[in-house]
mmCIF file of all heavy atoms in Angstrom:
data_model
loop_
_atom_site.group_PDB
_atom_site.id
_atom_site.type_symbol
_atom_site.label_atom_id
_atom_site.label_comp_id
_atom_site.label_asym_id
_atom_site.label_seq_id
_atom_site.Cartn_x
_atom_site.Cartn_y
_atom_site.Cartn_z
ATOM 1 N N HIS F 7 8.860 12.240 0.360
ATOM 2 C CA HIS F 7 9.657 13.432 0.053
ATOM 3 C C HIS F 7 9.682 13.719 -1.432
ATOM 4 O O HIS F 7 9.308 12.875 -2.248
ATOM 5 C CB HIS F 7 11.090 13.303 0.594
ATOM 6 C CG HIS F 7 11.914 12.207 -0.038
ATOM 7 N ND1 HIS F 7 12.016 10.942 0.494
ATOM 8 C CD2 HIS F 7 12.684 12.197 -1.143
ATOM 9 C CE1 HIS F 7 12.818 10.204 -0.256
ATOM 10 N NE2 HIS F 7 13.228 10.935 -1.270
ATOM 11 N N LEU F 8 10.105 14.932 -1.760
ATOM 12 C CA LEU F 8 10.391 15.308 -3.132
ATOM 13 C C LEU F 8 11.900 15.506 -3.237
ATOM 14 O O LEU F 8 12.497 16.159 -2.384
ATOM 15 C CB LEU F 8 9.680 16.613 -3.509
ATOM 16 C CG LEU F 8 8.154 16.599 -3.404
ATOM 17 C CD1 LEU F 8 7.604 17.988 -3.759
ATOM 18 C CD2 LEU F 8 7.549 15.553 -4.325
ATOM 19 N N GLY F 9 12.498 14.917 -4.252
ATOM 20 C CA GLY F 9 13.938 15.035 -4.453
ATOM 21 C C GLY F 9 14.237 16.173 -5.418
ATOM 22 O O GLY F 9 13.649 16.250 -6.499
ATOM 23 N N PHE F 45 18.186 16.988 4.132
ATOM 24 C CA PHE F 45 16.733 16.876 4.290
ATOM 25 C C PHE F 45 16.155 18.030 5.111
ATOM 26 O O PHE F 45 16.749 18.443 6.110
ATOM 27 C CB PHE F 45 16.378 15.569 4.996
ATOM 28 C CG PHE F 45 16.560 14.344 4.125
ATOM 29 C CD1 PHE F 45 17.790 13.711 4.055
ATOM 30 C CD2 PHE F 45 15.503 13.838 3.384
ATOM 31 C CE1 PHE F 45 17.962 12.589 3.258
ATOM 32 C CE2 PHE F 45 15.664 12.721 2.585
ATOM 33 C CZ PHE F 45 16.909 12.085 2.528
ATOM 34 N N GLU F 54 14.262 16.627 -0.147
ATOM 35 C CA GLU F 54 15.603 16.044 -0.174
ATOM 36 C C GLU F 54 16.404 16.782 -1.234
ATOM 37 O O GLU F 54 16.039 16.744 -2.413
ATOM 38 C CB GLU F 54 15.517 14.547 -0.542
ATOM 39 C CG GLU F 54 16.861 13.871 -0.729
ATOM 40 C CD GLU F 54 16.742 12.429 -1.257
ATOM 41 O OE1 GLU F 54 15.819 12.151 -2.058
ATOM 42 O OE2 GLU F 54 17.564 11.595 -0.852
ATOM 43 N N LEU F 56 19.769 16.994 -3.402
ATOM 44 C CA LEU F 56 20.762 16.012 -3.851
ATOM 45 C C LEU F 56 21.859 16.700 -4.656
ATOM 46 O O LEU F 56 21.563 17.402 -5.627
ATOM 47 C CB LEU F 56 20.096 14.965 -4.748
ATOM 48 C CG LEU F 56 18.950 14.170 -4.138
ATOM 49 C CD1 LEU F 56 17.726 14.260 -5.031
ATOM 50 C CD2 LEU F 56 19.364 12.731 -3.932
ATOM 51 N N HIS F 78 12.782 13.760 -8.410
ATOM 52 C CA HIS F 78 11.961 12.560 -8.206
ATOM 53 C C HIS F 78 10.959 12.755 -7.070
ATOM 54 O O HIS F 78 11.147 13.600 -6.203
ATOM 55 C CB HIS F 78 12.829 11.327 -7.916
ATOM 56 C CG HIS F 78 13.588 11.366 -6.616
ATOM 57 N ND1 HIS F 78 14.858 11.882 -6.510
ATOM 58 C CD2 HIS F 78 13.252 10.951 -5.364
ATOM 59 C CE1 HIS F 78 15.269 11.776 -5.254
ATOM 60 N NE2 HIS F 78 14.309 11.221 -4.529
ATOM 61 N N VAL F 79 9.901 11.958 -7.117
ATOM 62 C CA VAL F 79 8.935 11.926 -6.012
ATOM 63 C C VAL F 79 9.092 10.586 -5.303
ATOM 64 O O VAL F 79 9.286 9.550 -5.950
ATOM 65 C CB VAL F 79 7.482 12.132 -6.516
ATOM 66 C CG1 VAL F 79 7.073 11.077 -7.538
ATOM 67 C CG2 VAL F 79 6.491 12.161 -5.342
ATOM 68 N N ALA F 80 9.074 10.611 -3.979
ATOM 69 C CA ALA F 80 9.220 9.378 -3.194
ATOM 70 C C ALA F 80 7.929 9.094 -2.447
ATOM 71 O O ALA F 80 7.435 9.947 -1.696
ATOM 72 C CB ALA F 80 10.377 9.505 -2.208
ATOM 73 N N ILE F 114 15.041 1.592 -0.273
ATOM 74 C CA ILE F 114 14.422 2.274 -1.413
ATOM 75 C C ILE F 114 14.498 1.429 -2.686
ATOM 76 O O ILE F 114 15.300 0.483 -2.777
ATOM 77 C CB ILE F 114 15.119 3.633 -1.707
ATOM 78 C CG1 ILE F 114 16.582 3.416 -2.124
ATOM 79 C CG2 ILE F 114 15.053 4.542 -0.488
ATOM 80 C CD1 ILE F 114 17.233 4.645 -2.725
ATOM 81 N N PHE F 116 13.670 2.352 -7.160
ATOM 82 C CA PHE F 116 13.149 3.317 -8.124
ATOM 83 C C PHE F 116 12.395 2.622 -9.257
ATOM 84 O O PHE F 116 12.736 1.509 -9.653
ATOM 85 C CB PHE F 116 14.296 4.140 -8.717
ATOM 86 C CG PHE F 116 14.759 5.275 -7.833
ATOM 87 C CD1 PHE F 116 15.754 5.060 -6.877
ATOM 88 C CD2 PHE F 116 14.209 6.538 -7.948
ATOM 89 C CE1 PHE F 116 16.186 6.105 -6.061
ATOM 90 C CE2 PHE F 116 14.636 7.582 -7.140
ATOM 91 C CZ PHE F 116 15.628 7.366 -6.200
ATOM 92 N N GLU F 128 10.413 7.065 -6.661
ATOM 93 C CA GLU F 128 11.102 6.275 -5.629
ATOM 94 C C GLU F 128 10.052 5.706 -4.697
ATOM 95 O O GLU F 128 9.106 6.401 -4.319
ATOM 96 C CB GLU F 128 12.065 7.202 -4.852
ATOM 97 C CG GLU F 128 12.738 6.549 -3.655
ATOM 98 C CD GLU F 128 13.607 7.554 -2.869
ATOM 99 O OE1 GLU F 128 13.849 8.670 -3.353
ATOM 100 O OE2 GLU F 128 14.014 7.203 -1.747
HETATM 101 ZN ZN1 ZN A 1 14.748 10.370 -2.611
#
Side-chain angles (χ1 to χ4, degrees):
H7 65 266
L8 300 178
F45 287 87
E54 174 187 34
L56 301 127
H78 66 270
V79 58
I114 64 167
F116 279 89
E128 174 184 349

